[in-house]
Amino acid sequence: LHLLCHRLLQASDLWTIIFDPIRSLPPLTLLASYIFPSPRSSAIYLSRRSIDLSSRHIMTTTDNDVENAFFSLFSSLNKLKTSSAAASDAAATIQSLEGKLEGPIGVIQFLLHRLWLVADDESQNVVQGDNALSVLVHLVESRPTKYMALISSTVRRDIERNFTTLRVGSYDETSREVSAALIVALAKLLIGPNSDNQVGIATDASASLLTLCRWDRDQNNHCSTIAKRVLSTIDTLWNHLRQQGEQQKRKLSCSQIRISALMIDICLLGGEEMAFSLSKCIMDKLLHIALDHPNDDPLLQVSALDQLERLTVHDDSKYPVTLERADFLLANDILRRGLLCLVGSTGDLSMDANGDEEWGEADPINGGAALRLLTEICRVGVASSASVSETTRHKFQLLLSSFQKALHHFHPQGELERLSYIHAVSSVVASCAMVASSSSSVAHVANTILSDTTLLHEWLSLHSRVSQPILKSTVLSSLSQVMEPTMWKDEIFLSKNTTRPSDNIVLQLYQDFSHANNERNSAELILASARSPFVEERLGAYNILRALVSRGVCVRLLLLYDDGSGNGTGFLDWLLNQDLECTIEGKKAKYQIVDTMLSQNSDLIGGLLPANALRQLEEWRRKGPHFVNAAQFEMATE
């Protein structure tokens, strides 16, 4: 390696390496082959390195022949459709330029540097700005195999490097001009042919447009004009797709989802972007795909529902819920009615169902996806209830009561639907548990759901899942998430004021768990699962025990439990018996129970545990999950 570097420096000085990549490529090739033994890795490295070196070399080029050749190529673009001679001359010019500029990479870099410059009167014979873009578009259209993927990836890399507020690019701020033609050219790549290569090309185009929108928003004090231009452009493209025939529409379904995904990404940037998409009825197209019932393309429908679900993200500090997004999710009548129809409501998109009408069966394919989306919308509503308007709050209460009815009439068939049902009920109960003790305007509705014994029993019952340890573990883990949401948060988010349910609500859920399982003691049920031969069920029991021991009132309940058999089946006996768990995951989970109980109840744990047991638990906590309390044996001397 030292010898190769020495040869590289001997071959040419530093300026030659930077500005003349042709003379320095042979030693670079040897160096790359030494560092990357794989031929493919060497090729990737040299390709990226040659792009960077070529760009610096081309930026300093003053070859008038190259400038004249590009200008001649641009001048002949309007004649290509009517003159075969002009087409052949253009092909010859491109081939000549590739020879002078180290192939397609050099041609792209030459034009890319001039893409952000504004054409003026002093540079009439220089190809720059939209003129350079026209040449790039011609290269893509005339030689898609050679240029399309290369141009899309190169443009994306250049935009991400130079249009980022956190990193200053190589261009001056005043020279960054994003034209309408560039936005249209990038947007057209979203609706290209559905080939294997097109996936990467469309991804590059979408990422480039989103980067431009984010940069413009940050530069202009959260007022993105580029985002509005992009949304208007993709709206036009979407209208074009919808005007195609039915057979062609099915083939273009992937393009519709790409457009909707970009629209959702832009709407997540802020409230102004969301309001613009609603005012221009762009969001209505996505609602039409997602909520038409019956739908002749269920796969397209479930993809649209997934895109709508992305609007419900509310725990991420990067995308806080804006008032515009909350109003759309909670107060949009078409969204509410369409989702309720998918889960069995007898209404339609134009009218809500009567309160006394019987509910039907949920959609056999997309009923679960609609139920999941309703769940997330309800969580947003509970979290945003204090900030939305009175009209929005009233419509959310209507949605929440309708969702409660939908859960009553939802009869899951199969394991996947049962998992969706458990997630739906536990998520809504968790959201309601956080506001039930507050003075929030939805506290009354939240208490109504928390006192719904039918709903809680269907969720917490373990008798119907006796032979399904994974489902039993899911029920126990979901209950632990409701009781103690902080234990499921990353440490990054723990610094924020995470709302915890009150002790009264946790005790109420603890009793409901007993009522849902034929009045068996809740501690008995949990410890029975903790002794299960199935590791999945044991881990679920460990989760709920960890949630319980984080509260002093629950520690007292667990320590007071005794089945009266005298066989050491109590909570403390189980906790101190380290032979009951043999798996690594189980040992770590059991250690977390000990650590949580001692750290969260340090002021009262000394008065609840015997001194010997407390000493053993503290030693276990100090020495880690794999500590074993060795038994003492006496040697026989007679």
Side-chain angles (χ1 to χ4, degrees):
L1 181 61
H2 181 270
L3 180 61
L4 288 173
C5 294
H6 183 66
R7 291 281 182 86
L8 177 62
L9 294 176
Q10 279 187 336
S12 54
D13 58 13
L14 181 61
W15 294 107
T16 306
I17 295 174
I18 295 176
F19 294 111
D20 195 352
I22 298 300
R23 292 173 58 186
S24 60
L25 270 179
L28 280 175
T29 305
L30 291 174
L31 187 61
S33 63
Y34 181 88
I35 298 175
F36 303 103
S38 168
R40 182 176 182 272
S41 299
S42 302
I44 294 174
Y45 172 80
L46 288 176
S47 175
R48 294 178 178 174
R49 178 63 177 164
S50 60
I51 288 176
D52 295 335
L53 292 177
S54 298
S55 62
R56 297 178 183 179
H57 170 65
I58 292 167
M59 288 178 189
T60 61
T61 299
T62 59
D63 191 349
N64 292 330
D65 293 338
V66 174
E67 293 281 2
N68 293 334
F70 273 108
F71 183 75
S72 174
L73 176 61
F74 166 73
S75 302
S76 64
L77 293 182
N78 294 329
K79 306 176 184 177
L80 296 180
K81 296 182 180 180
T82 59
S83 174
S84 58
S88 60
D89 291 342
T93 303
I94 294 173
Q95 186 174 0
S96 174
L97 288 171
E98 290 177 354
K100 293 180 180 180
L101 298 175
E102 309 167 26
I105 294 176
V107 175
I108 294 171
Q109 289 294 335
F110 187 95
L111 295 169
L112 191 60
H113 174 58
R114 290 153 174 77
L115 187 62
W116 313 113
L117 304 178
V118 181
D120 51 27
D121 297 335
E122 297 179 359
S123 57
Q124 293 181 356
N125 296 331
V126 177
V127 177
Q128 61 186 26
D130 286 349
N131 298 343
L133 178 63
S134 300
V135 177
L136 286 172
V137 171
H138 171 69
L139 293 174
V140 170
E141 294 176 348
S142 61
R143 291 168 173 77
T145 304
K146 182 185 292 187
Y147 278 97
M148 182 179 285
L150 194 58
I151 287 178
S152 63
S153 60
T154 307
V155 169
R156 174 184 179 179
R157 187 163 51 248
D158 188 74
I159 288 176
E160 290 179 345
R161 183 174 61 246
N162 295 291
F163 286 83
T164 304
T165 56
L166 299 179
R167 181 177 178 181
V168 180
S170 59
Y171 307 139
D172 295 333
E173 295 287 336
T174 56
S175 66
R176 298 181 184 180
E177 179 70 20
V178 181
S179 64
L182 175 63
I183 294 175
V184 172
L186 289 173
K188 282 184 177 180
L189 294 178
L190 298 173
I191 61 173
N194 297 322
S195 60
D196 293 338
N197 293 331
Q198 184 66 31
V199 175
I201 294 169
T203 302
D204 290 335
S206 179
S208 300
L209 290 170
L210 184 61
T211 301
L212 292 174
C213 294
R214 188 180 292 115
W215 170 82
D216 185 52
R217 176 179 172 80
D218 294 338
Q219 291 292 320
N220 295 291
N221 194 21
H222 302 284
C223 181
S224 177
T225 58
I226 291 182
K228 296 178 181 179
R229 291 156 60 189
V230 172
L231 288 172
S232 299
T233 302
I234 63 177
D235 182 44
T236 303
L237 294 176
W238 210 339
N239 288 330
H240 170 72
L241 295 179
R242 296 180 65 186
Q243 292 172 1
Q244 305 301 313
E246 291 298 326
Q247 190 66 26
Q248 191 67 15
K249 267 196 214 177
R250 191 175 294 274
K251 293 181 180 179
L252 296 174
S253 59
C254 290
S255 299
Q256 295 191 62
I257 294 302
R258 290 170 189 159
I259 291 176
S260 64
L262 177 59
M263 178 190 68
I264 296 299
D265 285 331
I266 295 175
C267 289
L268 289 174
L269 294 178
E272 187 177 350
E273 291 79 2
M274 184 72 192
F276 184 82
S277 67
L278 293 173
S279 64
K280 296 298 182 180
C281 300
I282 308 174
M283 191 68 69
D284 292 346
K285 298 179 178 62
L286 183 58
L287 292 178
H288 171 73
I289 298 174
L291 303 178
D292 275 358
H293 184 71
N295 198 305
D296 58 352
D297 194 346
L299 295 181
L300 179 62
Q301 183 181 23
V302 72
S303 299
L305 290 171
D306 290 341
Q307 293 301 325
L308 287 173
E309 187 178 353
R310 294 176 56 206
L311 289 174
T312 63
V313 57
H314 60 283
D315 290 331
D316 193 352
S317 59
K318 186 178 180 181
Y319 299 118
V321 177
T322 61
L323 287 177
E324 293 81 2
R325 186 145 54 98
D327 288 340
F328 168 74
L329 292 172
L330 305 179
N332 190 285
D333 293 331
I334 295 179
L335 179 61
R336 182 186 71 252
R337 294 164 183 164
L339 292 176
L340 292 175
C341 286
L342 287 174
V343 295
S345 174
T346 56
D348 54 30
L349 295 180
S350 60
M351 183 182 301
D352 290 310
N354 294 329
D356 54 351
E357 288 186 3
E358 291 291 332
W359 285 56
E361 294 293 330
D363 187 276
I365 299 177
N366 293 322
L371 186 69
R372 186 174 64 247
L373 178 54
L374 279 169
T375 303
E376 297 303 321
I377 291 176
C378 289
R379 295 179 66 183
V380 172
V382 172
S384 308
S385 59
S387 58
V388 296
S389 64
E390 186 64 31
T391 303
T392 302
R393 193 179 300 116
H394 173 73
K395 290 191 174 184
F396 168 62
Q397 292 177 358
L398 176 63
L399 171 64
L400 197 59
S401 60
S402 300
F403 182 56
Q404 186 178 4
K405 294 179 183 178
L407 291 174
H408 283 165
H409 293 86
F410 188 80
H411 303 291
Q413 302 294 329
E415 191 167 302
L416 288 178
E417 288 190 2
R418 290 185 182 276
L419 289 173
S420 298
Y421 181 82
I422 293 171
H423 170 71
V425 178
S426 62
S427 298
V428 173
V429 171
S431 299
C432 294
M434 294 180 184
V435 299
S437 303
S438 66
S439 58
S440 172
S441 56
V442 295
H444 173 70
V445 181
N447 284 311
T448 302
I449 291 180
L450 291 176
S451 60
D452 189 339
T453 56
T454 303
L455 204 61
L456 294 175
H457 289 186
E458 186 66 26
W459 163 39
L460 297 175
S461 175
L462 299 180
H463 291 293
S464 60
R465 307 175 178 97
V466 173
S467 60
Q468 297 173 302
I470 296 180
L471 279 178
K472 292 177 69 174
S473 176
T474 303
V475 172
L476 295 171
S477 296
S478 65
L479 181 56
S480 69
Q481 293 182 33
V482 176
M483 290 181 169
E484 192 58 44
T486 57
M487 62 181 274
W488 296 91
K489 298 275 188 181
D490 294 333
E491 292 184 359
I492 300 176
F493 300 104
L494 285 180
S495 58
K496 301 178 180 179
N497 294 327
T498 303
T499 305
R500 299 175 67 200
S502 64
D503 288 347
N504 291 334
I505 292 178
V506 172
L507 290 175
Q508 177 186 340
L509 291 172
Y510 185 80
Q511 295 298 326
D512 289 331
F513 186 56
S514 173
H515 299 328
N517 292 277
N518 295 336
E519 303 296 335
R520 288 181 64 187
N521 189 286
S522 297
E524 177 186 355
L525 289 167
I526 297 171
L527 291 176
S529 294
R531 294 186 176 92
S532 169
F534 302 104
V535 64
E536 297 87 0
E537 185 176 351
R538 294 202 304 273
L539 292 176
Y542 296 164
N543 286 332
I544 193 172
L545 284 172
R546 183 185 170 195
L548 290 172
V549 299
S550 64
R551 299 171 184 265
V553 62
C554 296
V555 172
R556 291 186 178 92
L557 286 177
L558 292 173
L559 292 176
L560 289 174
Y561 166 70
D562 186 4
D563 62 352
S565 63
N567 296 326
T569 56
F571 167 70
L572 187 58
D573 295 317
W574 167 84
L575 188 61
L576 294 174
N577 190 345
Q578 297 175 331
D579 296 332
L580 295 177
E581 184 55 62
C582 57
T583 65
I584 296 177
E585 297 86 354
K587 288 180 180 294
K588 290 181 178 179
K590 202 168 181 179
Y591 169 79
Q592 288 177 332
I593 296 174
V594 175
D595 181 61
T596 301
M597 182 173 67
L598 296 180
S599 60
Q600 298 292 330
N601 306 281
S602 57
D603 55 340
L604 55 86
I605 195 67
L608 298 177
L609 297 178
N612 186 32
L614 180 60
R615 189 164 48 250
Q616 184 177 342
L617 291 175
E618 288 178 342
E619 185 179 8
W620 187 358
R621 182 190 180 191
R622 287 194 305 271
K623 294 188 176 180
H626 304 288
F627 165 72
V628 176
N629 188 20
Q632 300 293 329
F633 295 98
E634 295 182 0
M635 182 178 296
T637 57
E638 295 183 0

